[in-house]
Amino acid sequence: MPARFYVDTPLAEPGELSLPPSSARHVQVLRLQPGAPITLFDGTGDEWQAEVLAMGRSEVRVQLLQRQPARRELAQAVTLAVVMPANDRMDGIVEKATELGAAAIQPLVAERSVLRLAGERAEKKVAHWQGVAVAACEQSGRSVVPRIAAVQSLAAWLSGLGERPEGQRRWLLSPMAAEPLSAQTAAPQTLVLSGPEGGLSAAEEDAARAQGFMAMNLGPRILRADTAPLAVLGWLALSSVG
């Protein structure tokens, strides 16, 4: 199977193309030679079969051959709104959520957050996570790159949601909830809110419910902050198969 690379410029028609620096570096690292087949995608949903034409010290030129549809997205759009866990565990959430088909990821800061990001540090982290998502798309075969939104406080994010649109369901992951995930049916859009290591405060859960979130229970075991959102996404992904 040809190596896959994300290109951050639109791919419109067959012809020669000079790869952007980030993509060119990956081709060079793999030491691909002229004539080697590769697959390129620009994040819009399709992918292109291509061939390496020339390898230079700072430039890689390829020939775009044929556009192909790549229908590997979930049947529903799932957004994970995640209160960021401590250390580097957000990297794992972004990587695995991308593999499982998330459409977007919203990093949040809540009352009990251990990891608190703001300003330039938050911007750098979001750019890093967007790169993690791109790499996960290259590996997993996805041709639509999920958007990593700017870090927000939970309160500000909730206040900006507005009325729940038709066709969207909103789930709040809570170990105390009586509503089991397994009882839910399919919907066009699902917005999943998952709390930090110490859970959301009672006031935060009330604020989420006021915005149309339904509290959902994932079972008798308490899952870690970086496990719970991925468990839900995995269940949704498997539910949409077939």
Side-chain angles (χ1 to χ4, degrees):
M1 182 176 180
R4 301 180 78 251
F5 303 102
Y6 170 71
V7 178
D8 58 0
T9 56
L11 302 176
E13 59 186 20
E16 290 191 23
L17 172 72
S18 183
L19 293 182
S22 59
S23 306
R25 282 195 298 271
H26 291 157
V27 174
Q28 290 165 333
V29 166
L30 292 177
R31 300 182 182 276
L32 298 180
Q33 299 302 310
I38 59 174
T39 301
L40 301 178
F41 65 100
D42 61 7
T44 59
D46 292 336
E47 58 189 20
W48 283 81
Q49 298 308 308
E51 181 181 285
V52 176
L53 291 178
M55 292 273 290
R57 295 186 63 180
S58 60
E59 184 183 34
V60 175
R61 294 199 62 78
V62 302
Q63 176 75 36
L64 290 181
L65 300 174
Q66 184 179 12
R67 184 201 300 265
Q68 295 181 333
R71 302 293 179 254
R72 304 186 186 106
E73 298 305 301
L74 299 186
Q76 60 177 295
V78 181
T79 296
L80 295 185
V82 180
V83 178
M84 300 174 292
N87 302 318
D88 294 325
R89 293 208 294 271
M90 191 67 181
D91 286 29
I93 290 177
V94 171
E95 179 184 69
K96 302 309 178 188
T98 300
E99 292 177 17
L100 289 167
I105 300 171
Q106 171 65 66
L108 297 170
V109 179
E111 291 181 22
R112 297 171 180 167
S113 289
V114 175
L115 178 62
R116 295 181 177 274
L117 300 174
E120 184 179 356
R121 185 170 172 235
E123 292 174 1
K124 288 182 177 179
K125 274 293 188 181
V126 169
H128 167 73
W129 291 328
Q130 194 67 67
V132 171
V134 166
C137 284
E138 291 177 334
Q139 179 274 325
S140 66
R142 286 189 69 181
S143 295
V144 176
V145 180
R147 175 177 174 268
I148 313 301
V151 176
Q152 292 192 63
S153 71
L154 174 59
W157 177 73
L158 285 173
S159 66
L161 279 180
E163 186 176 350
R164 182 171 59 87
E166 184 177 355
Q168 183 193 72
R169 58 187 173 186
R170 296 177 177 179
W171 290 350
L172 164 66
L173 305 188
S174 174
M176 304 305 294
E179 190 71 23
L181 180 68
S182 58
Q184 304 306 305
T185 57
Q189 299 179 24
T190 302
L191 178 54
V192 180
L193 172 58
S194 182
E197 288 86 342
L200 298 177
S201 69
E204 289 173 328
E205 290 207 5
D206 288 344
R209 288 188 177 90
Q211 291 295 332
F213 283 83
M214 177 186 296
M216 306 298 298
N217 191 320
L218 301 184
R221 294 175 298 281
I222 304 298
L223 302 183
R224 292 174 62 125
D226 53 332
T227 303
L230 295 177
V232 173
L233 184 54
W235 183 81
L236 290 170
L238 289 174
S239 299
S240 70
V241 173

